[in-house]
């Protein structure tokens, strides 16, 4: 009997190195590394390696290793969502200006409305057998309204824009969008996994109760526990946080909502301002994400198969891309313009908010695992995600140009210009 560990020892380094190489390659083109990592995962799947050399792909990723790789990749995903939640400061959402609120709501509502209309046309062609029209429609609507907060933050940081008026404004909008999107996605998953409306409402109620328990009861207890643990060892803080995100993920999965929500909620409710927590988060980011998250990309890539799509379905792909861009870019840029910003600023905001990135892949993976969408629609949505994310940085460079509101501090010598004058709405 062969050792089940042996194929894992081959698959993991191949996947991790391929994703690292892909990330470094696209950095040379001015793209965020996540684009290269995602593409590497897709190319290791049936779309390229499985098509050109199926025996090689079978040797690197045999069926016996896929469940293990998927489990490890999902651990990386849970760590990633924990970090998103930890970086999302909900206290700032209640004090955002009217223009931020308007852009955020328009960036969710318009894509959802257009996405729901498109979903009604997609349903006969792409809905899995037995999936109701309502959960399918809601999922497509939510999927087209996503903005990738972490990838957006990375693009802004790479350009030195995170502290500029444009960067602060876009990050506030993206944070609000993320919070709204996760709430809506929770509803969709509850509807798709519950047999009746009453069961879905029960699942949502239990999720709200659990989130309230984390916020009201666990947060002060966790802060006290972590403060005490930090006086002993940073390793203990790291272990407590990892155990907490896993148990939170397990709880939401048992409730009937995807485990990803639990990790995200634990990150949202984790105490801020503790140096030991920040150091532990940095260790998550430095170790778990580069080693485990690539396995999630490959799991995604194995479900992305361009060769199985009939030529006629690429027309649907073009429609999905058009609706996604019109809804997200049009909704956010239009709202920014209506709240008093000029067209250049509005176009830059719309470009940034149209970035979907890894957050969209997480959402699509949840939809596929929950059986709400088919693999064919999953593939088309993956293409839309890659294109909209890859387009963000080059379009932003062209739109921002020499505008001091959208360029790094110190890049211009015009101290008399007030960069916030045209931002307020």
């Amino acid at each position: 009997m062969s050792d089940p560990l042996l194929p894992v020892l081959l698959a993991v380094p191949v996947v991790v190195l391929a994703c690292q190489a892909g990330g470094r390659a696209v950095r040379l083109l001015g793209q965020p590394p996540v684009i290269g990592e995602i593409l590497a995962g897709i190319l290791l799947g049936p779309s390229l390696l499985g098509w050109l050399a199926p025996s090689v792909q079978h040797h690197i990723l045999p069926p016996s290793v896929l469940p293990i790789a998927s489990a490890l990749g999902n651990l990386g995903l849970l760590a990633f969502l924990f970090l998103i939640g930890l970086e999302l400061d909900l206290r700032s959402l209640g004090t955002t200006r009217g223009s931020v609120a308007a852009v955020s709501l328009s960036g969710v509502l318009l894509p959802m409305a257009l996405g729901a209309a498109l979903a009604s046309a997609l349903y006969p062609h792409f809905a899995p057998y037995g999936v109701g029209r309502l959960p399918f429609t809601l999922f497509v609507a939510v999927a087209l309204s996503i903005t990738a907060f972490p990838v957006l933050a990375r693009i802004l940081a790479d350009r030195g824009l995170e502290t500029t008026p444009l960067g602060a404004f876009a990050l506030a909008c993206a944070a609000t969008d993320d919070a709204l999107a996760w709430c809506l996605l929770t509803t969709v998953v509850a509807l798709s996994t519950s047999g009746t409306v009453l069961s879905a409402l029960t699942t949502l109620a239990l999720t709200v109760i659990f989130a309230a328990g984390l916020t009201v009861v666990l947060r002060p207890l966790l802060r006290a526990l972590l403060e005490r643990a930090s006086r002993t060892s940073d390793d203990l803080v790291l272990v407590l946080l990892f155990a907490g995100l896993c148990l939170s993920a397990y709880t939401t999965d048992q409730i009937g909502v995807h485990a990803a929500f639990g990790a995200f909620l634990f990150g949202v409710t984790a105490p801020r301002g503790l140096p030991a927590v920040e150091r532990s988060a940095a260790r998550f980011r430095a170790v778990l994400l580069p080693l485990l998250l690539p396995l999630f990309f490959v799991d995604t890539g194995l479900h992305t198969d361009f060769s199985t799509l009939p030529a006629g379905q690429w027309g649907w792909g073009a429609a999905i891309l058009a609706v996604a861009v019109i809804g997200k870019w049009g909704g956010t840029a239009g709202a920014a313009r209506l709240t008093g910003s000029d067209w250049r600023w509005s176009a830059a905001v719309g470009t940034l908010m149209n970035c979907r990135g890894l957050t969209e892949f997480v959402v699509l993976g949840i939809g596929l695992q929950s059986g709400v969408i088919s693999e064919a629609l999953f593939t088309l949505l993956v293409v839309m995600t890659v294109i909209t994310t890859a387009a963000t940085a080059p379009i932003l460079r062209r739109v921002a140009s020499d505008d001091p509101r959208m360029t790094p501090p110190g890049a211009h010598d015009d101290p008399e210009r007030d960069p916030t004058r045209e931002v307020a709405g």
Side-chain angles (χ1 to χ4, degrees):
M1 184 178 178
S2 61
D3 187 347
L5 180 61
L6 290 179
V8 178
L9 295 179
L10 175 62
V12 170
V14 168
V15 169
V16 171
L17 290 172
C19 288
Q20 280 292 316
R24 290 180 179 274
V26 299
R27 282 295 296 269
L28 299 176
L29 302 174
Q31 292 289 340
V34 68
I35 290 291
E37 294 166 353
I38 290 167
L39 290 176
I42 293 174
L43 297 179
L44 287 172
S47 294
L48 184 66
L49 185 59
W51 176 58
L52 294 176
S55 59
V56 175
Q57 191 211 32
H58 186 273
H59 182 68
I60 295 174
L61 294 167
S64 61
V65 83
L66 297 184
I68 300 172
S70 178
L72 292 174
N74 276 287
L75 277 178
L77 173 64
L78 295 181
F80 169 75
L81 290 170
F82 164 74
L83 292 173
I84 290 181
L86 189 64
E87 294 168 359
L88 182 61
D89 187 0
L90 293 178
R91 292 172 299 179
S92 66
L93 302 184
T95 58
T96 54
R97 291 177 296 179
S99 55
V100 171
V103 169
S104 301
L105 288 174
S106 298
V108 171
L109 296 179
L110 182 59
M112 284 193 68
L114 296 179
L118 177 64
S120 64
L122 293 172
Y123 181 79
H125 306 280
F126 293 100
Y129 178 77
V131 172
R133 184 178 290 271
L134 179 59
F136 178 85
T137 300
L138 287 176
F139 180 84
V140 172
V142 172
L144 295 185
S145 68
I146 295 295
T147 292
F149 178 83
V151 176
L152 177 60
R154 181 63 178 269
I155 291 173
L156 291 170
D158 285 346
R159 290 180 53 82
L161 298 176
E162 68 273 23
T163 59
T164 63
L166 175 67
F169 186 86
L171 287 174
C173 293
T176 308
D177 266 17
D178 265 13
L180 291 172
W182 282 108
C183 292
L184 293 168
L185 191 58
T186 304
T187 304
V188 174
V189 173
L191 283 171
S192 64
T193 57
S194 302
T196 64
V197 174
L198 180 60
S199 298
L201 291 175
T202 302
T203 299
L204 288 173
L206 290 173
T207 304
V208 171
I209 292 171
F210 176 65
L214 284 177
T215 304
V216 177
V217 179
L218 183 64
R219 173 178 275 178
L221 295 177
L222 185 61
R223 173 176 284 276
L225 181 62
L226 292 175
E227 286 178 341
R228 186 170 182 178
S230 65
R231 293 193 289 268
T232 303
S233 167
D234 274 4
D235 290 345
L236 181 56
V237 174
L238 181 70
V239 169
L240 290 173
L241 289 174
F242 185 74
L245 76 89
C246 289
L247 292 173
S248 183
Y250 176 82
T251 301
T252 53
D253 184 78
Q254 291 299 299
I255 288 174
V257 182
H258 198 277
F261 296 109
F264 175 75
L265 287 174
F266 186 75
V268 169
T269 56
R272 271 58 165 189
L274 296 181
V277 172
E278 298 302 321
R279 290 192 294 270
S280 294
R283 292 167 74 181
F284 274 115
R285 196 174 291 106
V287 178
L288 291 182
L289 297 194
L291 293 181
L292 297 184
L293 199 56
L295 297 172
F296 173 77
F297 296 144
V298 167
D299 192 47
T300 299
L302 292 174
H303 293 96
T304 305
D305 190 355
F306 301 133
S307 63
T308 62
L309 283 174
Q313 290 189 344
W314 286 107
W316 288 113
I320 290 171
L321 177 62
V323 170
V325 173
I326 292 171
K328 197 67 177 179
W329 190 93
T332 52
R337 185 72 182 98
L338 290 174
T339 54
S341 300
D342 60 61
W343 273 117
R344 196 172 188 183
W345 171 275
S346 302
V349 170
T351 299
L352 287 168
M353 294 298 288
N354 195 43
C355 177
R356 288 170 172 85
L358 183 53
T359 306
E360 181 75 44
F361 279 91
V362 174
V363 171
L364 298 181
I366 291 173
L368 189 63
Q369 292 175 16
S370 302
V372 183
I373 58 174
S374 63
E375 289 198 3
L377 181 56
F378 176 84
T379 298
L380 295 177
L381 289 168
V382 163
V383 173
M384 177 273 294
T385 303
V386 171
I387 292 174
T388 54
T389 306
T392 301
I395 294 177
L396 180 64
R397 281 194 294 270
R398 187 171 183 84
V399 171
S401 187
D402 58 350
D403 193 320
R405 299 168 301 168
M406 304 179 235
T407 49
H412 298 274
D413 298 318
D414 187 6
E416 295 183 358
R417 181 170 184 178
D418 178 10
T420 64
R421 186 172 299 156
E422 296 171 315
V423 177

